[in-house]
Amino acid sequence: MTEPLDSLDYAKNLDKKDTLRHFRSEFYIPSNTIYLDGNSLGLLSKRAEHSLQEVLHSWKTLGIDGWTQGEHPWYYLSETLGEMSASLVGAEPNEVIVTGSTTTNLHQILSTFYQPEGHKNKILADELNFPSDIYALKSQLQLHGLQPETHLVQVKSRDGHTLHEDDIVSAMTEDIAFIVLPSVLYRSGQILDMEYLTREAHKRDILIAFDLCHSIGAVPHCLSKWNVDFAFWCNYKHLNGGPGSVASLYVNQKHFNTSPGLAGWFGSDKNKQFDMEHTMFPASDAGAYQIGTPHLLSAAPLYGSLSMFNEAGIENIRAKSLKMTEYFMELIDKQLHFYDFQIANPQVNEKRGAHIYLEHPEAARICKALKANHVIPDFRSPHGIRLAPVPLYNTYEEIWKTVQLLKRIMDEKLYKKFSNKRDVIA
Ligand SMILES: Cc1ncc(COP(=O)(O)O)c(C=O)c1O
Ligand SMILES: Nc1c(O)cccc1C(=O)C[C@H](N)C(=O)O
């Protein structure tokens, strides 16, 4: 390419060469908008809309027989969606089940597999994880009669943005029974080395679970190969399953046949469930950790969405994502260096997740100015702007336009029209 990197033609050329570009037309993009918030809530695709309509159609035309008939028989949908997700996490098809929410799945994992014994009774986490996970960990400790102040160990960040894997390993002391960590940090987007952390945890006889909310559908995983014990994630961000979409749970097959800590009839062996006995016969795979009737209308969009991911290929998605975030950072370096922005996400490919995290003292109102000009980021306290270019529906041209807008917001001080405080939903 002969055009300078910060020219519009350069961006257009990148789009022309993009082999995933045809997927954009499958999405509903809010009109006149550059949507860079797919890491909070992904956009609706036509395929997701269609699979939701198919499930509604079964209800409309089949009533209760929709459980076993129609396009997506409801009785098996959670398992089918789990199988369709397996390649995204590198798991066996029966190790993944679509069920619950991120937070309830973490509760299920802990209720089932966190078994404090003697002095080996603490949980290890970190101080940068999303609050919901930490709330769940504290409440689980309390259910065991343990104090979060003494029994939840949170690894500290050296710089406020990232974690050192070696600090985490140093915190894997003899009294740790269970570890819960994010795969990708929700603010800085740092990827943790899940394989290394799992190996080190197992050397010390500690079970380990990862929250994949910010890596699922954006970064490939090899959970089985890495021997990860458990993982859980939401499907409403990169996987575009819709607001409140049903979440997912991975249980390594070596842990199958452990009685669910939170039991309910949908965790039953499917052939026994309708025997209506008061003794439960749990499924012999990840399905055992379901609880009640699946929220089918909140699971159905995933069917269409996952079909796109499987068609596009997670390796291709990751390659484009890396290219997009790299281009974003190059433009920021070139065009915004006067304005006190700090790129706070890791810059090397192996450590960089799927979004850019820009810090600025005026971040809250810069976000508001972006939104007023039809670019959708999100703000994370205290000073962060998250910008997520999504491979299946964003373009390089949109990245270029966003950086031009940021430059204009700073040059013309447009952010000063707004207060530097977050909105109710940031
Ligand atoms: C890392 C992480 N964990 C958990 C959650 C929330 O969990 P839930 O889907 O149960 O609301 C989020 C986002 O909402 C998240 O980013
Ligand atoms: N899904 C969200 C939404 O619909 C609105 C606002 C926020 C969210 C989020 O998921 C927040 C997210 N977990 C985060 O990474 O900060």
Side-chain angles (χ1 to χ4, degrees):
M1 257 187 257
T2 50
E3 301 84 9
L5 180 120
D6 52 357
S7 67
L8 176 58
D9 281 345
Y10 187 93
K12 285 186 169 172
N13 259 324
L14 289 174
D15 282 321
K16 236 182 261 166
K17 289 191 199 142
D18 169 19
T19 53
L20 296 178
R21 69 179 184 278
H22 57 285
F23 283 104
R24 179 174 166 87
S25 62
E26 295 208 39
F27 284 89
Y28 292 100
I29 315 269
S31 73
N32 194 26
T33 296
I34 297 179
Y35 192 81
L36 296 177
D37 207 10
N39 58 341
S40 254
L41 180 68
L43 293 178
L44 174 64
S45 67
K46 292 174 187 166
R47 287 198 221 185
E49 179 183 43
H50 183 66
S51 54
L52 172 59
Q53 279 166 349
E54 284 175 324
V55 171
L56 278 172
H57 184 74
S58 301
W59 182 21
K60 200 190 275 181
T61 56
L62 297 168
I64 198 161
D65 285 337
W67 283 104
T68 49
Q69 298 171 27
E71 194 59 36
H72 307 290
W74 309 333
Y75 199 45
Y76 307 100
L77 189 61
S78 311
E79 285 77 10
T80 303
L81 294 173
E83 284 165 24
M84 289 174 79
S85 313
S87 64
L88 298 179
V89 291
E92 293 301 320
N94 65 348
E95 290 178 316
V96 184
I97 190 77
V98 168
T99 187
S101 74
T102 320
T103 313
T104 61
N105 288 343
L106 174 55
H107 275 293
Q108 176 65 295
I109 290 169
L110 291 165
S111 302
T112 308
F113 299 102
Y114 165 55
Q115 289 165 354
E117 267 177 40
H119 291 300
K120 202 171 180 63
N121 58 7
K122 295 187 180 172
I123 299 180
L124 178 63
D126 68 278
E127 66 165 5
L128 298 178
N129 201 348
F130 193 74
S132 199
D133 290 11
I134 303 299
Y135 303 160
L137 298 181
K138 288 183 177 175
S139 71
Q140 285 284 335
L141 285 167
Q142 280 162 335
L143 285 171
H144 284 277
L146 300 169
Q147 296 312 311
E149 296 74 26
T150 47
H151 285 74
L152 176 64
V153 179
Q154 286 183 266
V155 176
K156 295 220 173 312
S157 164
R158 298 186 196 181
D159 60 2
H161 296 302
T162 55
L163 297 167
H164 276 245
E165 275 96 354
D166 290 334
D167 292 346
I168 301 175
V169 174
S170 303
M172 295 181 187
T173 46
E174 277 186 356
D175 47 2
I176 302 293
F178 207 101
I179 302 175
V180 177
L181 292 167
S183 53
V184 167
L185 272 58
Y186 79 103
R187 282 201 189 88
S188 70
Q190 178 196 3
I191 301 184
L192 292 181
D193 186 338
M194 289 175 264
E195 183 175 21
Y196 170 62
L197 292 168
T198 303
R199 198 167 51 239
E200 294 301 317
H202 288 170
K203 275 187 202 164
R204 295 161 179 79
D205 206 15
I206 307 173
L207 294 173
I208 188 161
F210 287 99
D211 176 336
L212 309 185
C213 279
H214 284 274
S215 58
I216 189 71
V219 176
H221 309 76
C222 303
L223 297 183
S224 297
K225 186 169 147 232
W226 301 335
N227 207 11
V228 168
D229 294 291
F230 317 104
F232 54 101
W233 59 91
C234 65
N235 288 309
Y236 48 67
K237 298 178 189 289
H238 294 281
L239 287 185
N240 314 310
S245 166
V246 179
S248 297
L249 178 56
Y250 160 86
V251 177
N252 190 305
Q253 57 189 346
K254 68 186 174 189
H255 297 298
F256 287 176
N257 299 314
T258 307
S259 279
L262 301 174
W265 76 317
F266 263 83
S268 297
D269 176 322
K270 289 218 157 344
N271 294 318
K272 299 235 168 69
Q273 184 170 338
F274 276 80
D275 290 348
M276 303 296 185
E277 288 181 24
H278 279 192
T279 301
M280 182 184 175
F281 293 93
S284 55
D285 54 20
Y289 307 102
Q290 299 172 85
I291 304 175
T293 309
H295 300 182
L296 290 152
L297 300 182
S298 297
L302 254 188
Y303 189 95
S305 195
L306 286 171
S307 79
M308 294 172 83
F309 278 80
N310 287 328
E311 200 175 299
I314 190 64
E315 298 291 344
N316 298 327
I317 289 172
R318 173 65 173 158
K320 180 173 171 192
S321 167
L322 279 173
K323 212 165 155 183
M324 291 183 112
T325 47
E326 184 176 19
Y327 174 61
F328 223 141
M329 292 190 296
E330 283 170 343
L331 284 181
I332 290 166
D333 273 345
K334 237 176 157 114
Q335 302 202 289
L336 300 178
H337 55 273
F338 293 123
Y339 302 106
D340 218 10
F341 285 106
Q342 193 206 333
I343 298 179
N345 53 274
Q347 308 219 1
V348 294
N349 283 3
E350 312 77 64
K351 290 272 145 212
R352 190 167 84 249
H355 64 257
I356 296 294
Y357 190 62
L358 267 187
E359 281 220 316
H360 194 284
E362 310 285 356
R365 50 181 169 172
I366 294 172
C367 281
K368 288 179 189 170
L370 282 169
K371 274 188 145 174
N373 285 281
H374 314 289
V375 171
I376 315 296
D378 59 24
F379 166 72
R380 285 294 168 264
S381 64
H383 306 300
I385 303 170
R386 290 194 314 190
L387 300 159
V390 174
L392 292 189
Y393 55 75
N394 286 122
T395 64
Y396 292 92
E397 185 171 337
E398 288 181 318
I399 295 174
W400 184 84
K401 284 182 172 161
T402 300
V403 175
Q404 307 317 302
L405 175 59
L406 272 170
K407 190 165 181 303
R408 191 159 70 81
I409 287 170
M410 302 316 289
D411 278 342
E412 298 175 20
K413 301 197 172 13
L414 300 180
Y415 62 88
K416 294 216 160 167
K417 289 188 200 158
F418 306 91
S419 69
N420 199 25
K421 271 175 47 192
R422 69 164 169 77
D423 288 329
V424 178
I425 301 265

